[in-house]
Amino acid sequence: MPGGPAGAGLVGPYAITDQIRSISAEWVADKGLPEMGFTLGGLEELTGDGVRCLLAVDGDRTVHGITSWLPVYADGEVVGWTLDFMRRRTHGFRGSMEFLIASAARQLQAEGARFLSLSGAPLARLDRGERPRAVQRLLDLTGQVMEPIYGFRSLFAFKSKFQPEYRPMFMAYPDSAALPRIANAVSRAYLTHLNARQGLRLATKMIIRARGRAARTAELDSPKGW
């Protein structure tokens, strides 16, 4: 299956760009929730300056997958690229994402890029065998509750198959009293377009997930009779 740079944004043949929009719309509709923003790219980010797209297209001009790559600058020059947008056709070529990322790595290396970043995975982390603190335990729990909704840990596991070099991201804050306001700000940054109906749907899913987890824990902790 051929794949190659599509230039900046969604500039290209309508038959191709329309499929990209349809694939993304299908992904959003399947979740019933809006796309997340902030560190996760959406369709709007495809039109950014310097963004490059890599598509998996078959002989019938059917788009099976798309990735976008953001330029990373140093001293005014592009020195690397960061993975931003990933979408795959539901019933398309199942290895399209692996194909696109591997193809990008080979091509960008040949162009002289110093590195290729697979970007981060919110609420997911590498287990380094260290005992997590209270805030980290809360973040881990949030990630578990939201996994069926947005699949952060599945995303982390997918990126792990490329054997990347892990670089943790840290957030500095003045004291723990600021955490509620920080959590609210980060939530709004990720879910900028969340409306009341979608917010209720998200809250309902999280409550159901949390209750299911609590029920499983209670079952494991309950004494067993003979």
Side-chain angles (χ1 to χ4, degrees):
M1 295 169 59
L10 289 178
V11 177
Y14 177 79
I16 298 296
T17 58
D18 186 57
Q19 289 186 69
I20 294 173
R21 294 187 182 93
S22 296
I23 291 172
S24 185
E26 180 184 31
W27 183 88
V28 174
D30 182 59
K31 287 180 167 47
L33 296 168
E35 287 187 295
M36 299 193 87
F38 196 22
T39 63
L40 301 172
L43 279 177
E44 294 180 1
E45 283 68 39
L46 296 183
T47 60
D49 292 338
V51 175
R52 297 178 68 177
C53 299
L54 194 66
L55 283 69
V57 185
D58 66 17
D60 296 324
R61 304 295 289 171
T62 298
V63 178
H64 288 258
I66 175 174
T67 58
S68 74
W69 301 85
L70 307 180
V72 180
Y73 294 90
D75 298 325
E77 296 183 358
V78 177
V79 296
W81 296 86
T82 297
L83 177 62
D84 188 42
F85 181 87
M86 289 195 303
R87 293 290 185 273
R88 180 179 68 84
R89 186 179 294 277
T90 303
H91 302 294
F93 170 47
R94 297 191 66 84
S96 57
M97 288 297 101
E98 289 87 345
F99 165 74
L100 289 172
I101 293 175
S103 297
R106 292 172 60 89
Q107 180 170 325
L108 296 174
Q109 182 183 43
E111 294 178 5
R114 299 179 192 172
F115 65 88
L116 186 94
S117 171
L118 296 180
S119 193
L123 297 175
R125 64 187 178 89
L126 180 67
D127 186 359
R128 301 178 184 273
E130 301 173 354
R131 184 177 181 179
R133 296 186 177 182
V135 173
Q136 186 60 62
R137 291 198 298 271
L138 177 60
L139 292 175
D140 289 343
L141 177 60
T142 304
Q144 292 173 10
V145 171
M146 295 192 67
E147 176 61 24
I149 305 170
Y150 279 108
F152 297 133
R153 297 189 173 195
S154 299
L155 176 64
F156 182 83
F158 169 79
K159 293 179 177 181
S160 296
K161 69 173 63 178
F162 297 96
Q163 300 181 346
E165 176 185 337
Y166 294 96
R167 295 187 178 181
M169 295 182 288
F170 299 94
M171 180 185 70
Y173 53 92
D175 58 68
S176 57
L179 288 176
R181 288 185 288 111
I182 293 172
N184 180 59
V186 172
S187 299
R188 289 179 178 273
Y190 272 113
L191 294 169
T192 306
H193 304 293
L194 185 71
N195 58 38
R197 183 177 180 181
Q198 291 168 332
L200 178 61
R201 183 187 180 101
L202 175 60
T204 301
K205 286 187 174 183
M206 292 181 66
I207 292 172
I208 293 173
R209 173 68 176 176
R211 286 178 176 175
R213 177 179 173 82
R216 288 192 297 272
T217 301
E219 182 180 350
L220 290 174
D221 292 342
S222 62
K224 301 296 189 294
W226 293 94

